[in-house]
Amino acid sequence: MNQEPADGSIVVCPDGPLIVRGDFEIVTPSGDLLPRQRKTVALCRCGASAIKPYCDGTHKLIGFRTEYPIDSAQGTKSQP
Amino acid sequence: MKIPEPRGPISAGLLGILAGEPGGDPVAQTSLEQLVTGQLPLVEDIVDDGDVQLALLCLYELHYGGLDGVDDRWEWNPGLIRIRQLLEEPFEHALRASAELAVPESDRVPSAAAPDSDGVAALLFGLAQADNGPSLSRYVAKKATLEQLGEFLIHKSIYQLKEADPHTWAIPRLAGRAKAALVEIQADEYGGGRPDRMHSALFARTMRGLGLDDRYGCYVDTVPAISLASVNMMSLFGLNRRLRGAIAGHLAIYEMTSSRPNQLYGSGFRRHGFDAHVTGYFDEHVEADAVHEQIAGRDLAGGLVETEPGLLADVLFGATAVLAIDARLTVHIMDAWENGRSSLRTGLPTAA
Ligand code: FES
Ligand SMILES: [Fe+2]
Ligand SMILES: [Fe+2]
């Protein structure tokens, strides 16, 4: 790595949540803290979690894809 | 943990020796070794053998919280380590055979160069997803009686009251990214510095909510061999450095097969009128393991394989073995329940 690591990081998980690690707060639009039980959290980005904003693994059940797989034969993007 | 009841000649011989002082009775130790050597070829199915599984559980317990009244020096007694190895060898062999039967290594391990960490995570998520054994969680959500909920907790209690401990053994055997990932997960398992948030403590609270005894190991006598085997598998993987790939794969699969089932377990307990005090353990796992599965798959297992590509096969072995052994446990429980029987080995111990 040729870059100073930042104080926090967001890991963009393929077909899954955003893992947020480091020093941060999760707040409502008016600035109130949201209940939070752990330092590193997974934020849902499939929209299907029952405990939003956190991920509850439902992305796996709905087959959430963050990118359409490249169709190697066509060289185009295929529909899921 | 309190001393369990022996289940056959090996566990009886072992518990007899443990009652004395290390080195106090060399003759008894030699005859136990001979007994084990003679007995093992007669064991048909070691995973389901109560005598062997209980002996292993007690030998491993010397490395955890210990056995009540047993001299702590037994932990590293060479004669007992020897006996543990005699039992571990066929046990590991059986686990490898079960994993092979569940998903053949040729389908499990890609023939091309070892994948990167994203690739390892994808392989593990694939294994977890392909697992289509009977579902205990759906049964618990929809049908389980109050009595069955209690049985379910009793089976789980053998591990859950020391939740995370077997994987902790791996920490000093790892380095860099894999180590940081394991520590991050374990910190969460151990409550992030709050003893009352430790997963084992949350589980104990759930047990108390159902009127069960939450003392560690209280129900060892009550559960069948297969319940002990699933915990012994973790100790085997965790306590042998050469199996560090397997313990990483084991943890990854545990995390990857947790969020959804715990959601369903929680529903089952809520269906019986239990509130968040009792379901807290399950609710916590829905959220926590959605985080842990990502870290365990990519950073722990994937990070380990990136530094030690030769461990890929063992990572996938550990993962597949969990699915195979826990499927057996599920079949055992569901078979009993669907036929109106108890899934436990004995009735509940009378309260002390
Ligand atoms: S990203 Fe996991 S549930 Fe939405
Ligand atoms: Fe946990
Ligand atoms: Fe976890």
Side-chain angles (χ1 to χ4, degrees):
Chain A
M1 232 186 272
N2 50 10
Q3 189 186 324
E4 276 291 298
D7 288 342
S9 70
I10 300 179
V11 183
V12 181
C13 299
D15 305 338
L18 303 171
I19 298 281
V20 190
R21 184 182 278 121
D23 205 10
F24 60 88
E25 283 178 341
I26 307 179
V27 295
T28 65
S30 44
D32 297 329
L33 284 180
L34 249 69
R36 173 165 158 209
Q37 298 291 357
R38 66 205 73 256
K39 267 179 71 100
T40 298
V41 300
L43 297 180
C44 173
R45 64 172 168 149
C46 77
S49 171
I51 54 165
K52 286 196 277 284
Y54 303 115
C55 162
D56 67 358
T58 304
H59 60 268
K60 294 183 286 184
L61 299 178
I62 63 168
F64 175 59
R65 292 286 172 268
T66 41
E67 267 172 305
Y68 295 124
I70 306 280
D71 182 334
S72 51
Q74 304 283 323
T76 58
K77 297 190 175 199
S78 66
Q79 295 300 310
Chain B
M1 164 179 129
K2 76 172 174 56
I3 306 269
E5 289 293 320
R7 297 196 191 184
I10 298 176
S11 50
L14 174 67
L15 290 169
I17 284 174
L18 288 174
E21 282 214 346
D25 192 350
V27 181
Q29 271 192 266
T30 316
S31 54
L32 179 61
E33 190 176 326
Q34 281 161 358
L35 177 84
V36 171
T37 321
Q39 207 66 27
L40 277 174
L42 309 176
V43 171
E44 254 176 53
D45 179 4
I46 195 166
V47 172
D48 201 24
D49 188 277
D51 192 26
V52 172
Q53 293 303 332
L54 183 67
L56 269 175
L57 191 88
C58 292
L59 287 166
Y60 288 136
E61 190 50 37
L62 298 173
H63 301 280
Y64 293 100
L67 292 158
D68 293 351
V70 167
D71 193 316
D72 287 341
R73 289 171 299 167
W74 277 117
E75 181 183 2
W76 295 107
N77 178 273
L80 286 195
I81 300 286
R82 167 84 190 125
I83 294 197
R84 198 182 95 194
Q85 286 175 336
L86 283 174
L87 299 173
E88 280 181 328
E89 198 186 302
F91 180 44
E92 183 183 342
H93 196 265
L95 292 176
R96 290 196 182 271
S98 305
E100 185 62 25
L101 209 65
V103 187
E105 190 162 313
S106 50
D107 295 354
R108 221 188 295 149
V109 183
S111 45
D116 65 2
S117 57
D118 278 343
V120 173
L123 282 171
L124 290 164
F125 276 120
L127 276 175
Q129 187 133 39
D131 179 41
N132 52 10
S135 166
L136 188 60
S137 52
R138 272 199 299 273
Y139 188 99
V140 167
K142 296 248 158 63
K143 293 194 206 156
T145 63
L146 181 57
E147 212 183 344
Q148 290 168 340
L149 293 185
E151 285 188 21
F152 166 70
L153 294 181
I154 286 173
H155 286 287
K156 280 177 81 79
S157 71
I158 312 300
Y159 169 60
Q160 251 69 41
L161 290 174
K162 65 170 174 208
E163 184 163 333
D165 287 350
H167 304 102
T168 298
W169 299 122
I171 294 173
R173 286 105 189 249
L174 302 176
R177 180 180 172 195
K179 179 182 234 159
L182 182 52
V183 171
E184 186 176 40
I185 294 170
Q186 298 302 78
D188 221 14
E189 300 286 346
Y190 291 129
R194 291 161 57 192
D196 59 315
R197 293 283 311 166
M198 283 177 55
H199 289 180
S200 54
L202 295 178
F203 190 79
R205 195 175 76 185
T206 303
M207 291 187 82
R208 290 194 300 275
L210 268 82
L212 296 170
D213 194 330
D214 67 343
R215 280 173 303 171
Y216 172 65
C218 179
Y219 293 104
V220 166
D221 288 333
T222 317
V223 301
I226 182 76
S227 306
L228 304 181
S230 106
V231 185
N232 285 336
M233 165 170 64
M234 294 182 234
S235 300
L236 167 75
F237 294 166
L239 280 169
N240 286 280
R241 192 181 67 86
R242 70 187 168 84
L243 295 174
R244 60 198 178 283
I247 194 71
H250 184 287
L251 181 57
I253 283 291
Y254 255 29
E255 304 292 0
M256 289 175 178
T257 53
S258 174
S259 286
R260 175 66 181 157
N262 275 292
Q263 205 172 50
L264 293 169
Y265 295 143
S267 315
F269 282 76
R270 275 185 289 272
R271 180 168 55 82
H272 281 275
F274 292 107
D275 62 9
H277 189 75
V278 163
T279 63
Y281 174 84
F282 306 112
D283 304 338
E284 159 69 6
H285 280 84
V286 173
E287 187 186 313
D289 290 346
V291 181
H292 297 172
E293 66 179 1
Q294 300 295 340
I295 304 170
R298 204 162 287 107
D299 303 303
L300 169 61
L304 179 60
V305 170
E306 281 192 9
T307 22
E308 297 189 81
L311 292 182
L312 176 66
D314 264 0
V315 166
L316 298 174
F317 155 59
T320 315
V322 183
L323 298 173
I325 298 305
D326 288 0
R328 275 186 76 168
L329 176 56
T330 300
V331 166
H332 167 88
I333 297 176
M334 300 269 285
D335 184 57
W337 287 357
E338 276 166 354
N339 290 291
R341 284 182 281 113
S342 161
S343 64
L344 301 175
R345 172 174 169 262
T346 64
L348 295 190
T350 43

